[in-house]
Amino acid sequence: TTGDTTFDIGFANTAVCKSAITYIDGDAGILRYRGYPIEQLAEKSSFLETAYLVLYGELPTQEQLSTFNDDISHHMVIDERIREMFRIFPRRSHPMPVLSVGVTALGLFSEDTIGFTEEKLDAATKRLMAKLPTLAAYGYKNSIGSPTLFPDYSLSYVENFLRMSFGSVTRPYEFSDEVTKALDVLLILHADHEQNCSTSTVRLVGSAQTNLYQSIASGINALHGPLHGGANQAVLEMLDDIADRGISVQEYVNRVKDKNSNERLMGFGHRVYKNYDPRAAIIKKHADAILRGHDGNDKLLDIALQLEEAALNDDYFIQRKLYPNVDFYTGLIYRAMGFPTDMFTVLFAIGRLPGWIAQYREMQADPTNKIGRPRQIYVGEKERNYVAMGERS
Ligand code: SDX
């Protein structure tokens, strides 16, 4: 306690807001966006339709969806000066900080949409939804020294992102319905997740009346951490490491259990899910469909499946309720699509964008909302007097 106030320690299990967007039951492994189970949305919806639901609270009519699709898919082009900006970054720059800078720059070129009226927030929402995939693709193209492509408005949102990421003028991107559908489903599964680290960051930064672009850029930075969205990259690095060193899965599991190793089974465990992450169950099915028959990925998928089997039958993980989370299988699919590991968290960010924006707008619309300002337990020195230099030891 401090004075006569008792606090829970840590930003770990604190209800920081009321929200109507996403419901999670961590013990039962339930996830719903605006009341709709994730399993139904993954099977029947599209990413832009789910983004509409998360943002506006209801499934769109056909006319609303067509208008939303046009507002987003036909505005993916970015200002030439932002496109040029990517050229100043060192080639080896990780695409997540590049994306964060790109979003901040987008805000600088979008003065007309900065503000807190419904009209300005909606304009900024559509601008961010439309241009984040383009910023992501340009960050990737810059990192491999390849020329960028303008969006092709005859394509869908996901097709455009894939083409801008992998296509070139001399080598057109060859679409596969299986890959396009799998990426659309993965984006649906990442659309929101209540008060995770990056969403809480967007809310906290936005609570100071910081504009939407800069708040989203803050969320991108939080997501990059390997304990959060960066885990999908860390999972692939872990699987590659096991494969390259030729160690057995059990050997690796034993190392994780050894407290001195300071290793974690990346893609496992969750602050809220103390059961199988419902997203991981859906992704695992897609991983099997996409990866079987792709040599190399086959081997990593088998290692992942063996790791899951070993952990789910090991008391260390059972006692700590550690199950696969959303990041455990996604990286395998992203790699099979052709993305390098450092682009995996960028894909997470594209999926999470509608959730970040919806949570920011829900907060701004709440008349009781105040600037976030948590308290602390002071454990430092009691009052003491200044010591002259000559008297210090
Ligand atoms: C995401 O919050 C969200 O909703 C996030 C997210 C979203 O959609 O936004 O779901 C996305 O971030 C998923 C999580 C991705 N991160 C990883 O996969 C990294 C590996 N997982 C962990 O580091 C960990 O499980 C966390 C960070 C996810 C959760 O950590 P907690 O709740 O703070 O748990 P903890 O660190 O207090 O661990 C409790 C115990 C410890 O052992 P003991 O001290 O009791 O002996 O479980 C152990 C930990 O050592 N533990 C693990 C482990 N995770 C926890 N041991 C081995 N491998 C792991 N992965």
Side-chain angles (χ1 to χ4, degrees):
T1 58
T2 293
D4 58 0
T5 310
T6 302
F7 295 92
D8 283 339
I9 289 280
F11 219 34
N13 194 17
T14 315
V16 293
C17 66
K18 290 179 183 171
S19 177
I21 299 169
T22 291
Y23 173 76
I24 299 176
D25 179 330
D27 294 327
I30 291 173
L31 170 58
R32 300 184 197 127
Y33 298 153
R34 302 286 189 180
Y36 293 95
I38 193 73
E39 293 77 8
Q40 293 181 26
L41 292 170
E43 187 189 332
K44 299 173 182 170
S45 186
S46 68
F47 174 59
L48 282 187
E49 181 183 71
T50 296
Y52 185 100
L53 169 68
V54 166
L55 285 163
Y56 302 109
E58 295 297 338
L59 287 170
T61 61
Q62 187 53 61
E63 187 188 348
Q64 288 168 330
L65 182 58
S66 303
T67 306
F68 188 67
N69 261 320
D70 291 350
D71 286 349
I72 305 294
S73 301
H74 295 161
H75 292 87
M76 296 180 81
V77 73
I78 61 174
D79 189 296
E80 267 302 280
R81 287 164 292 176
I82 299 180
R83 193 169 75 93
E84 282 304 308
M85 178 189 74
F86 284 102
R87 300 161 66 87
I88 64 167
F89 300 126
R91 278 260 182 99
R92 300 293 308 150
S93 308
H94 194 288
M96 278 296 273
V98 168
L99 188 66
S100 169
V101 171
V103 166
T104 303
L106 183 61
L108 296 173
F109 284 82
S110 306
E111 278 297 305
D112 57 318
T113 68
I114 303 271
F116 297 96
T117 62
E118 257 314 287
E119 185 197 0
K120 286 191 183 272
L121 283 172
D122 212 43
T125 295
K126 288 168 181 164
R127 195 159 297 186
L128 275 161
M129 283 296 298
K131 301 177 192 301
L132 193 73
T134 310
L135 294 171
Y138 287 7
Y140 170 53
K141 278 295 181 72
N142 175 64
S143 73
I144 56 175
S146 293
T148 53
L149 283 179
F150 288 111
D152 170 349
Y153 293 141
S154 67
L155 299 176
S156 74
Y157 186 76
V158 169
E159 286 170 338
N160 249 315
F161 170 62
L162 287 167
R163 176 180 165 276
M164 287 190 285
S165 297
F166 296 123
S168 69
V169 175
T170 52
R171 191 169 38 81
Y173 176 67
E174 283 180 35
F175 288 103
S176 127
D177 290 345
E178 197 180 51
V179 167
T180 305
K181 175 63 181 162
L183 184 52
D184 198 76
V185 170
L186 287 169
L187 295 177
I188 289 172
L189 295 172
H190 285 82
D192 191 53
H193 212 241
E194 55 130 288
Q195 303 314 312
N196 57 84
C197 177
S198 53
T199 301
S200 301
T201 301
V202 170
R203 277 184 173 256
L204 188 59
V205 171
S207 74
Q209 295 288 298
T210 303
N211 71 53
L212 180 59
Y213 298 92
Q214 289 173 248
S215 300
I216 297 299
S218 305
I220 292 171
N221 290 322
L223 185 70
H224 187 198
L227 292 187
H228 189 14
N232 56 19
Q233 175 174 347
V235 169
L236 253 289
E237 287 160 356
M238 171 182 75
L239 297 175
D240 280 336
D241 183 44
I242 293 171
D244 295 346
R245 285 189 297 133
I247 60 174
S248 73
V249 158
Q250 195 50 56
E251 214 176 322
Y252 187 79
V253 168
N254 294 338
R255 235 179 62 193
V256 166
K257 290 159 63 177
D258 171 3
K259 278 294 165 206
N260 302 319
S261 77
N262 219 11
E263 299 259 3
R264 289 200 162 189
L265 187 50
M266 299 312 275
F268 256 71
H270 200 278
R271 175 63 52 74
V272 179
Y273 289 123
K274 299 309 172 189
N275 199 323
Y276 212 102
D277 183 331
R279 301 166 297 178
I282 299 168
I283 293 165
K284 183 178 170 184
K285 271 188 260 165
H286 279 274
D288 216 60
I290 282 228
L291 299 176
R292 282 296 167 221
H294 285 242
D295 57 353
N297 288 308
D298 246 344
K299 183 176 174 193
L300 294 183
L301 176 61
D302 288 336
I303 292 174
L305 292 168
Q306 290 164 30
L307 272 174
E308 175 182 338
E309 179 69 19
L312 294 187
N313 292 292
D314 187 305
D315 282 344
Y316 174 93
F317 295 87
I318 295 168
Q319 284 160 10
R320 293 168 176 81
K321 297 186 179 179
L322 301 175
Y323 293 86
N325 61 47
V326 67
D327 291 313
F328 191 60
Y329 287 104
T330 40
L332 283 164
I333 300 176
Y334 294 149
R335 171 173 285 179
M337 288 177 179
F339 290 103
T341 47
D342 60 8
M343 274 295 284
F344 296 174
T345 312
V346 169
L347 298 169
F348 191 142
I350 294 171
R352 185 51 53 87
L353 181 63
W356 284 333
I357 296 173
Q359 298 266 354
Y360 176 96
R361 291 181 67 171
E362 183 179 62
M363 175 187 67
Q364 297 300 352
D366 175 358
T368 67
N369 173 54
K370 290 184 175 185
I371 185 169
R373 204 277 184 222
R375 293 299 310 279
Q376 63 169 25
I377 302 285
Y378 178 70
V379 293
E381 299 288 343
K382 294 197 176 8
E383 184 178 3
R384 51 183 175 165
N385 296 317
Y386 184 81
V387 180
M389 184 60 80
E391 293 165 27
R392 295 175 203 171
S393 53

